[in-house]
Amino acid sequence: MAIPSSAERAPRRLEVDLDGPGPGEELVAHLRPVLDDLTAPPHPSADADGWPAENGAGERADAAQLLPLLDAQLASRWLDVAARRMRAADEGFYTIGSAGHEANAAVALATRPTDPALLHYRSGGFYLARSRQAGRAPRTGILDVALGLAAARDEPIAGGRHKVFGHPDLAVIPQTSTIASHLPRALGVAWAIGRQQRLPARLRTPLRWPDDALVVASFGDASANHSTATGAVNAACWSARQGVAVPLLLVCEDNGLGISVPTPPGWIAAMFAGRSGLEYRRDEGRDPLATLATARAAADYAREHRMPVLLHLACVRIGGHAGSDLETAYRQPADIASELERDPLAATLRAVVAHGLLTPEQVRRRWALVRDEVVIAIREAIRHPRLGSAEEVMAPLAPRTPAAVAECAVRSAPEGERRRVHGAQLPEDEGRLTLAQSINRTLADVAAVEPGLLLLGEDVGRKGGVYGVTRGLQRRLGASRVVDTLLDEQTVLGLALGSGISGLLPVPEIQYLAYLHNAEDQLRGEAATLQFFSGGAYRNPLVVRVPGLAYQKGFGGHFHNDNGLAVLRDIPGLVVACPAHPRDAPAVLRTCLAAAAVDGSVCVVVEPIALYHERDLATAGDGGWTAPYAAPDHWSAQHVPVGAARTWGDGPDLTIVAFGNGLRMALRVGIRLRDEGIGVRVVDLRWLAPLPIDDVLREARATGRLLVVDETRATGGVSEGLVTGLLEAGFDGRLARIAGDDSFVPLGRAAALVLVSEQDVEDAARLLLS
Ligand SMILES: Cc1ncc(C[n+]2csc(CCOP(=O)(O)OP(=O)(O)O)c2C)c(N)n1
């Protein structure tokens, strides 16, 4: 539905004036006496507050950095005030601010504007300092943030889709609101920096990081407890322990609170100090020169040693968690007041005078000048149009360019290179291959033509995957391209996200569908949203391989037979493929890899485990579940666009639509019915998102009878969407559906009691024909 553009809306109610009483005044009121007092500046003591001071005089940064620090901090604070006033006037939509956290501007000044940064939501100071550092006018960074608050379409990264800190020119990668979810990706970017160097120049993205870049990732003290954070830090230490380069500067901004829940005193230091593989530095956030020096020392360490460093930065939270948070409901007034005394902005105001950089009068003028800059930016921001249609909202979500994908999908390496990656024999000369073999050969072929392709996951390297799908690839492609990771699915996906955003083409394997759920947010919240929240400025091409679905013999139980796909199908923009037959798998996989490379698509390939090593279709020894591997000159003819089904047979009496294991059952039933003179055609969906509704509709109309075979569960299974889509598209023939029971899959033969069986398919088919 279209909403009125800003030009058509009622005149603005916001009288932008940041001075005087009103929302947000609580963020600056305590600073007015500080400004008035500046004639006799007290010099802050580094040691007086119980935080051990480790900031040696030798590490002190150049005092000249105090001015850019002050400007960034002032602008950030006034933007926080503005956010609350805009909200009150219904012209702004986000009031989580940075007040009390502005010491993070020192981290920006300690790093380079080309160092990738993934930031905590209280990073106004960092963002504005980096914007200036990159040579942009002060007003530009301020306007970026103001546009974000106003949800303006012209905001430079999310385009009004979210309030984030991000900018491709500043190497700031936008974060989501899910605390700590950016940390696995941050690790992945740090991990990818060294790998990027090995790419040929033509494959390097415009976002290619400098070879000596480090990655900055910040988060709050409560977020540090999140399993995603502990997993990412653990993985960074695990990697560093083995000598893997991880130039990662983790910044824990410790304000002692997670909304209303206090962090136990000393907890952050207890978690991170003295940890193997992690350099720990801390700063009390009281003396801006000390903060600059500590931040610089921490950044230099990460850059030089290519090791993870944790900078523990003491912060305070001023003005509650967000504008809507009534802090007095859970905190004592005295505690709130004592925070104000530790305001880092007050410390910087004093320091610039104490170090002779500005006179008190000049400081007061700067205070007013920056405030006025913010007012100008806000006035401008609220005049900008906002998103006005669903099409506009969704434009960057998952762009598709099928022709370019098709061209990319059929590229082949020269024969010499193919022989190197395949070993002695080219796959087209191997005879008929199983599903597992055909996936293996396809991965090698794409690796031969795409130097950025990386395979990673638990056991994919030396062992070649739990089902042997990646067997031999590490030996032939090298250990830097086929990587055994530690046992943590969030890290597997995080490494892939970080390397994808860095221009590589990651193909992570999640060992079983059931274990994707551990790490699902990395796909849902991080991978799939990146283009949406960055207007396509950042992308994470990704092809996740997931051995899954049920019907495994000899390895039973739910967790190795998970048949739930709803969790993937409802992620906007995600491509979900399910290649069941070796005749299709190479082309489907090549399309996914090409879609990732060309469009930055996020793809999940669900590989039916039970069919990996199957050889036969109707009778023992018939080889009906094997297929010859096509030589490169046939790839064009065999190309499979995203969302295109395949029809087996052209029987006139009944259409069965299925996928995965259901395809094999449907084909077997079709063969038996054909022997009785009943003509069946079987449609293999091949793609579970987007669903090939048009293809199925065409085939269903051809017979007037459609049996939907869904091996996933009746509730939330694939067929719910399929049947809805067909009815909406106007199918009015006879229709029946069979699906698995709404149960987890039990061990042993009992599995058959809740799964769709071949007999079920046959019975339903006969009923429909009767
Ligand atoms: C995974 C997740 N759970 C819950 C929330 C809701 N939430 C938003 S901020 C926050 C507190 C975070 O505290 P901390 O990490 O200390 O950062 P601070 O806000 O204090 O800077 C919570 C629980 C969330 N955003 N993400």
Side-chain angles (χ1 to χ4, degrees):
M1 188 184 72
I3 54 175
S5 76
S6 58
E8 297 159 23
R9 286 186 299 131
R12 308 277 164 202
R13 279 178 288 132
L14 179 62
E15 268 313 311
V16 194
D17 171 13
L18 298 182
D19 251 340
E25 172 63 7
E26 65 280 12
L27 307 181
V28 285
H30 62 287
L31 293 171
R32 299 190 197 282
V34 174
L35 286 168
D36 293 341
D37 258 17
L38 283 176
T39 42
H43 195 283
S45 158
D47 312 315
D49 65 347
W51 287 74
E54 294 181 348
N55 310 314
E59 293 174 322
R60 300 215 158 206
D62 183 352
Q65 287 216 307
L66 283 174
L67 288 184
L69 185 76
L70 175 67
D71 284 347
Q73 294 185 332
L74 275 175
S76 177
R77 184 66 59 94
W78 281 120
L79 280 161
D80 284 345
V81 177
R84 292 180 183 208
R85 296 202 180 193
M86 290 168 76
R87 181 68 218 112
D90 202 26
E91 290 293 356
F93 305 94
Y94 192 87
T95 57
I96 299 186
S98 307
H101 278 240
E102 294 95 340
N104 57 32
V107 181
L109 296 172
T111 55
R112 301 175 187 160
T114 47
D115 289 331
L118 299 88
L119 301 175
H120 189 42
Y121 46 73
R122 300 199 195 278
S123 295
F126 183 108
Y127 183 80
L128 295 162
R130 175 164 282 197
S131 177
R132 287 288 302 277
Q133 206 187 17
R136 302 165 90 223
R139 189 169 290 182
T140 312
I142 293 174
L143 183 61
D144 291 350
V145 180
L147 290 167
L149 295 171
R153 196 176 59 192
D154 305 321
E155 190 272 343
I157 190 81
R161 293 175 189 84
H162 193 11
K163 161 65 186 72
V164 292
F165 291 114
H167 204 297
D169 299 345
L170 304 176
V172 180
I173 300 167
Q175 80 289 13
T176 70
S177 292
T178 312
I179 49 120
S181 69
H182 56 306
L183 298 183
R185 184 204 291 282
L187 171 67
V189 177
W191 184 75
I193 288 172
R195 286 175 158 73
Q196 250 188 346
Q197 294 162 16
R198 297 179 208 141
L199 287 179
R202 77 183 164 79
L203 281 176
R204 290 176 185 165
T205 63
L207 300 171
R208 186 178 187 280
W209 324 117
D211 294 348
D212 63 350
L214 62 83
V215 177
V216 192
S218 50
F219 53 99
D221 50 296
S223 306
N225 300 298
H226 201 280
S227 66
T228 315
T230 58
V233 174
N234 180 69
C237 296
W238 187 90
S239 307
R241 180 77 180 240
Q242 299 179 84
V244 175
V246 184
L248 178 61
L249 176 58
L250 295 160
V251 183
C252 181
E253 299 187 11
D254 183 0
N255 62 24
L257 279 171
I259 306 187
S260 67
V261 179
T263 293
W267 177 241
I268 296 299
M271 261 207 291
F272 297 125
R275 180 125 181 220
S276 172
L278 185 68
E279 181 71 15
Y280 172 83
R281 302 288 169 102
R282 72 176 163 192
D283 184 86
E284 61 189 306
R286 292 280 194 105
D287 172 359
L289 272 188
T291 306
L292 284 162
T294 311
R296 198 182 52 221
D300 289 351
Y301 191 97
R303 195 182 307 284
E304 280 159 27
H305 296 267
R306 318 305 286 163
M307 288 268 290
V309 177
L310 189 124
L311 172 60
H312 181 188
L313 187 59
C315 299
V316 286
R317 197 187 72 187
I318 296 174
H321 176 71
S324 53
D325 176 30
L326 191 62
E327 214 183 1
T328 47
Y330 56 86
R331 293 185 85 189
Q332 295 301 322
D335 292 340
I336 297 173
S338 81
E339 302 268 273
L340 297 180
E341 283 166 25
R342 292 172 52 209
D343 185 343
L345 180 49
T348 309
L349 290 168
R350 292 186 181 114
V352 290
V353 176
H355 290 278
L357 295 164
L358 294 179
T359 65
E361 191 42 39
Q362 285 173 321
V363 172
R364 285 188 278 272
R365 279 215 298 276
R366 213 142 177 141
W367 166 271
L369 200 77
V370 176
R371 178 200 60 208
D372 293 346
E373 283 285 0
V374 170
V375 170
I376 292 167
I378 296 302
R379 284 200 182 122
E380 182 176 342
I382 60 178
R383 281 199 301 270
H384 276 253
R386 295 185 177 128
L387 293 163
S389 67
E391 291 73 29
E392 223 182 336
V393 170
M394 294 192 291
L397 178 63
R400 307 239 190 272
T401 53
V405 168
E407 200 179 309
C408 177
V410 300
R411 281 179 316 150
S412 160
E415 187 178 323
E417 181 58 12
R418 290 190 72 225
R419 286 200 183 278
R420 196 185 68 73
V421 298
H422 285 301
Q425 219 176 5
L426 289 174
E428 54 268 37
D429 301 330
E430 281 189 85
R432 298 180 76 87
L433 301 180
T434 61
L435 179 64
Q437 289 167 331
S438 70
I439 294 170
N440 175 287
R441 308 308 187 260
T442 308
L443 290 171
D445 255 331
V446 180
V449 75
E450 175 63 72
L453 186 137
L454 273 182
L455 302 174
L456 58 154
E458 299 148 12
D459 303 306
V460 299
R462 273 159 49 139
K463 181 172 164 66
V466 272
Y467 292 96
V469 177
T470 52
R471 188 170 294 150
L473 296 180
Q474 190 184 63
R475 192 165 26 84
R476 294 197 296 273
L477 299 175
S480 64
R481 295 185 70 190
V482 185
V483 182
D484 277 323
T485 64
L486 80 175
L487 176 49
D488 175 23
E489 287 75 16
Q490 293 197 113
T491 297
V492 174
L493 292 179
L495 294 176
L497 295 183
S499 35
I501 211 170
S502 306
L504 296 149
L505 181 56
V507 185
E509 179 184 297
I510 297 295
Q511 215 158 72
Y512 289 94
L513 184 57
Y515 306 131
L516 179 65
H517 307 312
N518 297 39
E520 195 183 296
D521 179 58
Q522 290 299 305
L523 257 191
R524 173 182 297 270
E526 286 290 324
T529 62
L530 185 66
Q531 298 205 69
F532 186 71
F533 289 135
S534 71
Y538 291 102
R539 16 179 274 174
N540 36 220
L542 187 63
V543 179
V544 187
R545 294 184 39 251
V546 191
L549 300 176
Y551 302 97
Q552 279 199 80
K553 297 195 183 70
F555 202 19
H558 172 74
F559 295 91
H560 299 103
N561 287 276
D562 188 356
N563 59 352
L565 294 172
V567 82
L568 295 173
R569 288 222 336 108
D570 88 329
I571 299 178
L574 195 79
V575 172
V576 184
C578 184
H581 196 280
R583 187 173 143 184
D584 286 314
V588 168
L589 193 53
R590 275 198 298 270
T591 297
C592 287
L593 290 160
V598 172
D599 291 335
S601 301
V602 180
C603 307
V604 176
V605 182
V606 179
E607 300 169 357
I609 297 170
L611 299 176
Y612 268 151
H613 307 300
E614 182 59 72
R615 304 197 77 89
D616 301 327
L617 173 55
T619 52
D622 68 7
W625 215 261
T626 58
Y629 187 90
D633 47 352
H634 295 289
W635 291 355
S636 277
Q638 295 187 353
H639 172 65
V640 180
V642 170
R646 174 198 282 278
T647 304
W648 297 67
D650 57 0
D653 302 318
L654 172 68
T655 304
I656 307 180
V657 59
F659 62 94
N661 299 282
L663 173 67
R664 186 162 179 274
M665 292 189 264
L667 288 171
R668 285 164 60 90
V669 169
I671 291 168
R672 283 204 290 279
L673 293 176
R674 187 192 58 200
D675 293 346
E676 296 172 22
I678 300 167
V680 176
R681 61 182 69 197
V682 177
V683 184
D684 176 9
L685 290 174
R686 299 197 292 203
W687 305 92
L688 308 181
L691 280 169
I693 298 289
D694 290 347
D695 291 349
V696 180
L697 184 66
R698 187 188 60 240
E699 300 301 328
R701 281 187 169 147
T703 64
R705 290 189 189 88
L706 178 66
L707 173 61
V708 177
V709 175
D710 181 3
E711 67 179 282
T712 60
R713 294 193 280 274
T715 304
V718 173
S719 53
E720 283 187 346
L722 182 62
V723 171
T724 306
L726 288 167
L727 295 179
E728 282 175 348
F731 181 65
D732 56 1
R734 294 190 62 190
L735 188 147
R737 167 180 93 121
I738 50 171
D741 286 339
D742 290 335
S743 168
F744 299 107
V745 178
L747 192 64
R749 295 197 186 97
L753 302 174
V754 296
L755 294 173
V756 168
S757 71
E758 202 172 300
Q759 192 59 51
D760 295 335
V761 178
E762 185 168 337
D763 292 348
R766 289 187 188 284
L767 197 62
L768 205 53
L769 286 160
S770 66

